[in-house]
Amino acid sequence: MTSAPSPASGTPYLAGGLVDAPWWRTPAGREGLAVGTVGLYGVSAGALGVAAGLSVWQTVLTSLLIFSGGSQFALYGVIGAGGGALAAVATSTLLGLRNGFYGLELSRLLAPGRRLLPVAAHLTIDESTAVALAQDTPHESRVGFWTTGIALFVVWQTTTLLGALAGEAMGDPRAYGLDAAAAAAFVALVWPRLTGHGADRRSGARATAALAMVLTLVSAPFVPTGVEVLIGALAALVVGLRGRRGGERPATAPGEAVA
């Protein structure tokens, strides 16, 4: 492909943007940096970790190792509610499984190589996947993925530390309503999926949410804390199988979720 001068500046352009432009001047780079600011709400994750009974450094360590907002909120929420470690880890892992499916698609698109593969796997989250898949060329996808992943990782870990320090300084989290932060965070994560997209997807998502709520409420009095969340997750399987038999499209698609 040959380049041609931009009508405005005379700078050579290709289909995806400036030729040999620094990564931060490309559309994918700018988009990645913008999405990286989502990590600012790591403050709430840090405060919730301390509220759940973890120390500041335990909260920071789990954040470094998990690096997935939904999974971290699940872990802290179950521990804070008195659940066992097994239930907390199982719930967190269940929510993080989607990142593995993202990786199947991104490994072909990004081709990171052996040395970078573990790093790419750790940075494969909703936001980095969405930005990478939104680009027009493999090169732009790589720029978008790495920019988003690294920016979000740095911002998230920094704000998680600040939130944990603030949470420790505040004392009893229940006095500030932080014991309800996990539930509020999950509502914020789920709500766009219940109101967005087409009618078919909305109905599938709402059916899943309703069934999950019923299963969770019914099972909660009879199972250890945290296990009811795993039981509620069966709703996705039930609705998904029903939709497949009926020829419906799935309620969600990889890369559409955030956090």
Side-chain angles (χ1 to χ4, degrees):
M1 180 183 295
T2 59
S3 59
S6 162
S9 62
T11 305
Y13 267 73
L14 287 176
L18 287 167
V19 177
D20 296 329
W23 61 267
W24 60 86
R25 292 185 59 194
T26 64
R30 290 195 297 268
E31 184 177 352
L33 290 174
V35 173
T37 61
V38 171
L40 291 172
Y41 83 95
V43 170
S44 60
L48 182 59
V50 172
L54 300 179
S55 68
V56 171
W57 295 112
Q58 286 174 329
T59 301
V60 172
L61 182 60
T62 54
S63 180
L64 287 168
L65 294 176
I66 298 175
F67 185 47
S68 180
S71 295
Q72 287 178 230
F73 281 123
L75 181 74
Y76 303 150
V78 172
I79 292 176
L86 182 60
V89 172
T91 304
S92 176
T93 301
L94 181 65
L95 288 172
L97 285 177
R98 68 190 188 281
N99 295 336
F101 293 106
Y102 297 163
L104 295 176
E105 176 68 21
L106 291 178
S107 62
R108 295 189 293 267
L109 179 63
L110 304 177
R114 283 188 175 183
R115 292 183 178 181
L116 289 177
L117 187 59
V119 180
H122 197 53
L123 297 180
T124 298
I125 53 176
D126 298 327
E127 293 84 355
S128 60
T129 300
V131 173
L133 295 180
Q135 307 309 314
D136 296 325
T137 68
H139 173 70
E140 292 173 341
S141 294
R142 286 190 287 272
V143 171
F145 173 84
W146 289 109
T147 303
T148 305
I150 293 173
L152 189 52
F153 185 86
V154 172
V155 175
W156 180 266
Q157 306 307 335
T158 302
T159 55
T160 296
L161 174 59
L162 294 176
L165 291 172
E168 185 179 54
M170 286 189 297
D172 186 0
R174 290 173 295 182
Y176 303 92
L178 289 179
D179 52 328
F186 275 117
V187 170
L189 290 171
V190 170
W191 188 256
R193 294 156 183 76
L194 302 180
T195 58
H197 307 303
D200 290 342
R201 291 191 177 185
R202 282 199 303 270
S203 62
R206 289 171 181 173
T208 303
L211 181 57
M213 180 178 66
V214 172
L215 291 175
T216 301
L217 291 175
V218 170
S219 62
F222 308 103
V223 298
T225 301
V227 175
E228 74 277 6
V229 178
L230 302 178
I231 295 175
L234 295 175
L237 180 62
V238 173
V239 175
L241 290 176
R242 179 178 174 275
R244 183 177 292 273
R245 289 175 181 174
E248 298 176 3
R249 296 178 64 185
T252 58
E256 293 179 344
V258 174

